[in-house]
Amino acid sequence: MNRKKEIQKYLAYAFLVALSVVFLYPLIFLAANSLRPYINKKPVIFFTEWHVENYYFAVAMIPFFKYLLNTMKLVAISVFGSLVMDFLMGYAFARLRAPGKEVLFKLVLLQLMIPYIAIQIPQFVWYNTLGLMDTYWIFILNALGGSAYNIFLVKQFMSSFPRELDDAAKVDGCGFLRMIAQIVIPLSKPLYALLFFNAFVAAWNDYMGPQMFLTGDKFPLATAMFGNIYFLPDKPEIILEPVLMAACVLFTLPVIILFFFFQKYLVQGIVTSGLKG
Amino acid sequence: MAEKRFWNAKRREIALFYVLVAPFVILFIATKLVPFVNGLYLSLTNYTGYNYDRVEFVGVNNYQRVFTDAQAMSSLGRTFLIGCITVPLGLIVGLGCALLLNKARKGLGVFRTIIYMPSIIPTVAAGLMWRIIFNANEGLLNKFLGIFGINPVNWLGYDHILAALVIMMTWGSTGGLLLNLAALQGIPNELYEAAALDGAGGWKKFTKITLPMISPILFFNLVMGIIGGFQLYAQPVLLAPGSNGVLNLPLKPTYTYMVHAYQQILGYSRFGYGLAMMWVLVFIINILTVIVTKTQKYWVFYSD
């Protein structure tokens, strides 16, 4: 019996290693080939060459840092919306007693039911008539209005806090913001991490929103990189693959690093927020 | 005195609630509900993106056109077929990886990171990466197949583009992993112990305990898969030839419904028609979701 279990365990590990290779190798291939000479057409299968200058070309051939700055702006707006607005609204729905709360929560559920594709183009038309096109206001308004999904998540999470928590804070004469910062946020760490990570990655990876609402000068990396932007200056049909791959590495690395540091909290956040059932 | 303080506190709480949720209510109406209704109206007009002040009401013309547009209908069927391949594959990959990870104690964090990674890296970066892997002459995949003596395959050509798309999407389909893993770890161990006492084997435990216990999550992943599957857009465009960015035209086998819709709107300025296409899609997705939800009682088990 025990022997059988042991064999099963080793088999599982063997499969895991094989799967890891399958899932990881394309990324290793990407990284290895971002370092191969850009004139030599032959790809390499592992890190055999170190032409770091590809990374210089990746940031110098296009206004890489301008796009990166634009990405960071959108990320900042998205993270603010998630960590401040969604969090406080979720808190309000979970912990505060007020008449009309149930009716207003129906609005949250209503927004959850409207699929994004049903309003994306209408929003495009609407912001156009409001004269907000090509401004960050569209993204700021979106962040301020909160995401129904996150509000729902926060509410679920906080509904399990004991009632005495709020009362204790009130007796202490603790101001509202101080209570949030010193009691509620520390108690919600995994959820807070989950919100931060989701908001960061969503904004970092989003190419369609900026494509719709912004123009070239304000494009973030994701939108700017959608086309093939690395080619020989006088021969646009020749794509500089290694340089393109270097740009992909630079674009992907922050998300991977972020995930590595956050993954423990993310799993906790999912388990404790009741999302699983 | 104490009474008064109590009432003040209560009023303060109510005021605080409304201050906190006011942005949501106001902006929900201003940036979502109004465009939503407006969009519904515009789908009944000949709106082109330029004639906003003089649009003409054309009734259900746009909707009729969706059903007579051969390209819209064939792309809809194609999208459905692609979904029939990629959605179950994604579910199996997500579940299989979670089952394996559930067995691992040592190195869980590392394996989890590696296997989950494909689902978080930017779609754009993944698409550009796979284009190079699929490259016919010197791509990784053909090089790998060459080891087994298989001749180079033109992955991005007409005959194999669908297979390429499926490979790429399956690689990136580990997103359901964390939820699955959380659900697996939530199954009480006593259930397995009791089953073992009754002499149940591994397969029986899997079908009688594991699958029913995580079926709510599988259901959730299935619904998300259906919703996402019908909106398939970025991956085919990223594998398409050309350098028109979001307006790149995918080859026929991967020309999906959303690609056609975005082409109408962003490429040809047919806003009214494109909106009607979107609404038809929303309607289809809703119907399918309702049908799948109705099947819940046959295969999804809720413990409470």
Side-chain angles (χ1 to χ4, degrees):
Chain A
M1 186 64 205
N2 258 339
R3 213 184 134 76
K4 204 176 147 198
K5 265 212 169 126
E6 200 124 290
I7 294 173
Q8 270 186 3
K9 213 175 98 184
Y10 283 120
L11 265 178
Y13 270 107
F15 265 116
L16 274 178
V17 171
L19 274 177
S20 300
V21 171
V22 171
F23 283 116
L24 190 61
Y25 189 69
L27 293 171
I28 291 177
F29 178 79
L30 176 77
N33 279 279
S34 71
L35 292 163
R36 80 171 199 240
Y38 69 91
I39 17 171
N40 178 5
K41 293 291 278 179
K42 282 258 172 285
V44 293
I45 52 169
F46 205 68
F47 295 96
T48 43
E49 309 197 55
W50 300 93
H51 287 261
V52 221
E53 71 270 16
N54 288 341
Y55 283 82
Y56 170 74
F57 291 132
V59 298
M61 282 181 69
I62 61 163
F64 189 89
F65 289 109
K66 195 179 83 187
Y67 293 139
L68 182 65
L69 186 67
N70 292 341
T71 297
M72 295 311 290
K73 284 180 195 163
L74 293 173
V75 165
I77 294 171
S78 163
V79 166
F80 174 84
S82 215
L83 290 189
V84 178
M85 301 310 289
D86 295 349
F87 193 76
L88 288 179
M89 292 188 226
Y91 171 86
F93 277 115
R95 309 302 302 178
L96 297 177
R97 282 171 290 202
K101 190 166 98 168
E102 271 67 41
V103 180
L104 288 182
F105 194 66
K106 290 250 158 57
L107 280 188
V108 176
L109 296 178
L110 181 66
Q111 185 179 326
L112 265 180
M113 283 189 295
I114 301 178
Y116 183 54
I117 55 161
I119 54 167
Q120 184 189 35
I121 302 293
Q123 274 187 334
F124 176 83
V125 176
W126 181 235
Y127 290 135
N128 219 351
T129 51
L130 291 179
L132 290 177
M133 218 36 122
D134 200 22
T135 67
Y136 285 108
W137 278 110
I138 296 167
F139 296 90
I140 294 171
L141 290 179
N142 203 30
L144 289 179
S147 126
Y149 180 80
N150 283 342
I151 294 172
F152 190 78
L153 201 69
V154 175
K155 178 186 179 271
Q156 290 292 93
F157 184 86
M158 288 186 182
S159 298
S160 61
F161 288 176
R163 187 80 232 172
E164 292 81 47
L165 185 85
D166 313 55
D167 300 335
K170 265 178 221 152
V171 170
D172 278 357
C174 200
F176 170 68
L177 286 176
R178 227 184 96 198
M179 181 187 73
I180 292 284
Q182 296 191 345
I183 301 175
V184 181
I185 291 179
L187 279 174
S188 320
K189 246 189 212 155
L191 176 74
Y192 221 59
L194 186 68
L195 288 180
F196 175 80
F197 182 78
N198 284 348
F200 186 101
V201 173
W204 186 271
N205 294 0
D206 184 25
Y207 55 89
M208 205 60 202
Q211 172 77 37
M212 289 258 161
F213 302 128
L214 301 173
T215 54
D217 238 21
K218 292 198 178 73
F219 273 170
L221 272 175
T223 313
M225 282 179 59
F226 206 106
N228 283 315
I229 44 178
Y230 295 100
F231 41 77
L232 276 185
D234 45 343
K235 285 196 184 116
E237 71 277 8
I238 298 183
I239 297 161
L240 298 172
E241 279 185 5
V243 180
L244 176 65
M245 289 171 132
C248 282
V249 170
L250 289 176
F251 180 41
T252 307
L253 213 53
V255 181
I256 292 178
I257 294 172
L258 198 68
F259 176 72
F260 190 78
F261 284 112
F262 271 72
Q263 59 151 328
K264 209 179 84 199
Y265 294 109
L266 297 184
V267 178
Q268 276 177 29
I270 288 172
V271 173
T272 48
S273 62
L275 193 75
K276 71 188 181 88
Chain B
M1 187 65 192
E3 183 120 326
K4 204 172 163 201
R5 263 203 16 216
F6 172 76
W7 279 108
N8 272 342
K10 203 163 179 189
R11 286 233 304 263
R12 275 228 305 271
E13 190 170 333
I14 294 171
L16 184 61
F17 174 80
Y18 279 98
V19 168
L20 289 181
V21 300
F24 170 78
V25 177
I26 296 166
L27 289 169
F28 172 63
I29 294 167
T31 67
K32 304 213 165 69
L33 214 51
V34 171
F36 182 79
V37 176
N38 192 29
L40 201 53
Y41 164 71
L42 286 174
S43 74
L44 300 167
T45 68
N46 64 351
Y47 184 50
T48 61
Y50 303 104
N51 56 350
Y52 193 70
D53 358 291
R54 51 203 151 78
V55 288
E56 280 165 39
F57 190 79
V58 295
V60 292
N61 268 11
N62 287 329
Y63 289 88
Q64 277 173 345
R65 237 173 96 192
V66 177
F67 292 99
T68 50
D69 177 353
Q71 268 195 310
M73 284 297 106
S74 62
S75 64
L76 183 62
R78 204 174 291 127
T79 310
F80 183 76
L81 286 179
I82 296 174
C84 285
I85 306 170
T86 55
V87 173
L89 262 178
L91 286 182
I92 292 169
V93 168
L95 179 62
C97 291
L99 284 171
L100 285 173
L101 280 173
N102 199 33
K103 285 237 184 286
R105 286 287 168 270
K106 280 191 202 116
L108 175 66
V110 177
F111 286 126
R112 196 169 54 197
T113 308
I114 292 174
I115 296 178
Y116 192 65
M117 217 142 64
S119 68
I120 50 159
I121 75 166
T123 319
V124 175
L128 295 171
M129 176 184 88
W130 277 100
R131 248 178 105 138
I132 293 166
I133 293 175
F134 285 136
N135 197 313
N137 300 319
E138 65 259 359
L140 170 69
L141 197 56
N142 279 340
K143 228 175 168 173
F144 176 73
L145 293 174
I147 301 173
F148 304 101
I150 298 171
N151 286 333
V153 173
N154 185 12
W155 289 103
L156 298 176
Y158 191 93
D159 292 334
H160 297 97
I161 186 77
L162 184 58
L165 180 72
V166 170
I167 293 173
M168 170 172 140
M169 288 183 64
T170 306
W171 179 80
S173 67
T174 55
L177 176 77
L178 286 191
L179 276 179
N180 284 334
L181 199 56
L184 283 176
Q185 290 176 349
I187 302 176
N189 228 348
E190 296 88 65
L191 287 181
Y192 291 112
E193 283 161 13
L197 282 180
D198 288 345
W203 178 249
K204 202 149 197 197
K205 279 191 214 163
F206 176 68
T207 53
K208 298 284 177 199
I209 299 174
T210 312
L211 275 185
M213 286 300 282
I214 62 165
S215 57
I217 288 299
L218 291 181
F219 170 73
F220 177 79
N221 284 339
L222 175 65
V223 171
M224 288 297 159
I226 291 172
I227 294 173
F230 272 103
Q231 298 182 33
L232 179 61
Y233 163 77
Q235 286 86 346
V237 174
L238 282 163
L239 289 183
S243 50
N244 289 322
V246 293
L247 284 179
N248 268 357
L249 266 183
L251 299 178
K252 197 99 191 230
T254 55
Y255 187 87
T256 61
Y257 188 83
M258 276 303 271
V259 171
H260 192 55
Y262 277 129
Q263 283 291 333
Q264 301 310 306
I265 295 169
L266 302 176
Y268 299 101
S269 269
R270 296 175 187 147
F271 275 76
Y273 180 53
L275 280 168
M277 278 192 72
M278 299 274 188
W279 278 108
V280 170
L281 188 66
V282 167
F283 187 71
I284 292 171
I285 290 176
N286 275 345
I287 290 207
L288 256 174
T289 312
V290 168
I291 292 174
V292 172
T293 309
K294 286 260 191 279
T295 66
Q296 262 191 107
K297 60 172 181 267
Y298 300 111
W299 64 281
V300 182
F301 295 86
Y302 292 101
S303 46
D304 35 307

